[in-house]
Amino acid sequence: MTNKKFWKNKTVLITGHTGFKGSWLSFWLKTLGAKVIGISFNIPTNPSLFKIIIGNQFIRNYKCDIKNFPKLRNIVLKHKPDFVFHLAAQALVKKSYLNPLLTWNSNLLGTVNILESLRHLKKNCVAVIVTSDKSYKNLEIKRGYTEKDQLGGYDPYSASKGAAEFAIRSFIKSFFNKKSKVKIGIARAGNVIGGGDWSEDRLLPDCIKSWSDGKKVNIRNPNSTRPWQHVLEALSGYILLAVKLKLNTKIHGEAFNFGPKLSHNYSVLALLKEAKKIWPSILWSIITNKKKFKESNLLKLNCNKAKKVMNWQSTLSFNENIKMTVNWYRAYYINKDPKKMKKFSKNQIIEFTNLVKKRSKK
């Protein structure tokens, strides 16, 4: 997965590289020696993880809306990537209600545009298309969704991600057969947390903003459970999927879940209590929830397929997830120095990869 010889001088194109997961993925692959090409429409948050650990000099950046097919195709054909990671999306459920047209265009049409761009590429290329755990039709089941479960969703975000998967399947069956030079894998991950996420309407980022100012946080759904997963866990799955697709074409066109163990499903309140052990001064209050939009209370992924086929499984415990996340934010608010945060972030990647190697031997 993190073999420097494998990634050295490989051209890797990442859409959504200025986002939370995209920034971590770009940084990680760059440290492995890859030539990273990034495509994003803007820098989505302030503060910005991208500005902190990457900046404009670290990789090749293109400002491009993935809905702009001609420009997107030209970038793909110009750089002829060895690998593509498609992460660009409108990823917020609440925003999908406020702007459903943008959500559908970004998540469905944007995915179609990257697939159509790859169709014109006349060289070997591996593409990992990232969708979501919310691609599944949520029936609030406890066993965990498998890759064979029904797709679909109620809100515009979930529905658009499910629709994107149908588009991916269509392109694979119609254009990217087994003899195609382009190999595609689909990655679905759960609720990802980690240092550097400042997205709106997400639990930990909202809490961190308030806690850094000494303010109390209002919590609306303390008993809702989520498969909390550190960003490096999910990204390790994406990276491993890319490697396996390169080495084993039999998994071309397959979808894989990347999430924590089924037993690691914790409530919002449990997360807050764990965070308080690391940041003792934090405060919160529970408020009556008056929902204006539908939200799922239970989401679980069954990752047995990833374990069986790729030998991938989550490494970090729940408290390790929270500790790594909160420690990153505390370091940021203490240092506010990009050089120190680059080093801190790189050390977290090293710490994580060392744990993966150590625990995989047991």
Side-chain angles (χ1 to χ4, degrees), residues 145-192:
Y145 297 97
T146 71
E147 289 81 354
K148 293 182 179 180
D149 278 316
Q150 184 179 351
L151 300 176
Y154 298 108
D155 60 87
Y157 169 73
S158 302
S160 64
K161 281 294 189 177
E165 296 235 15
F166 287 110
I168 297 166
R169 299 288 185 193
S170 172
F171 268 80
I172 290 170
K173 293 293 185 182
S174 302
F175 308 113
F176 303 123
N177 57 34
K178 292 182 179 179
K179 295 182 180 179
S180 169
K181 290 186 175 182
V182 176
K183 305 302 178 186
I184 294 175
I186 302 166
R188 302 167 183 159
N191 275 52
V192 174

Side-chain angles (χ1 to χ4, degrees), residues 39 60 338:
I39 297 176
R60 181 72 181 272

Side-chain angles (χ1 to χ4, degrees), residues 338-352:
K339 288 184 179 179
K340 289 183 179 179
M341 290 314 299
K342 279 184 183 180
K343 184 176 181 180
F344 191 92
S345 302
K346 187 175 181 179
N347 285 340
Q348 283 205 330
I349 291 173
I350 293 170
E351 177 188 355
F352 172 75

Side-chain angles (χ1 to χ4, degrees), residues 131-132 136 147 151 165 169 186-189 255-258 301:
T131 58
S132 172
Y136 293 109
E147 289 81 354
L151 300 176
E165 296 235 15
R169 299 288 185 193
I186 302 166
R188 302 167 183 159
F256 290 89
N257 292 335
F258 299 106
L301 292 178

Side-chain angles (χ1 to χ4, degrees), residues 83-94:
F83 295 88
V84 171
F85 292 88
H86 176 52
L87 280 73
Q90 194 300 99
L92 302 175
V93 172
K94 183 177 179 180

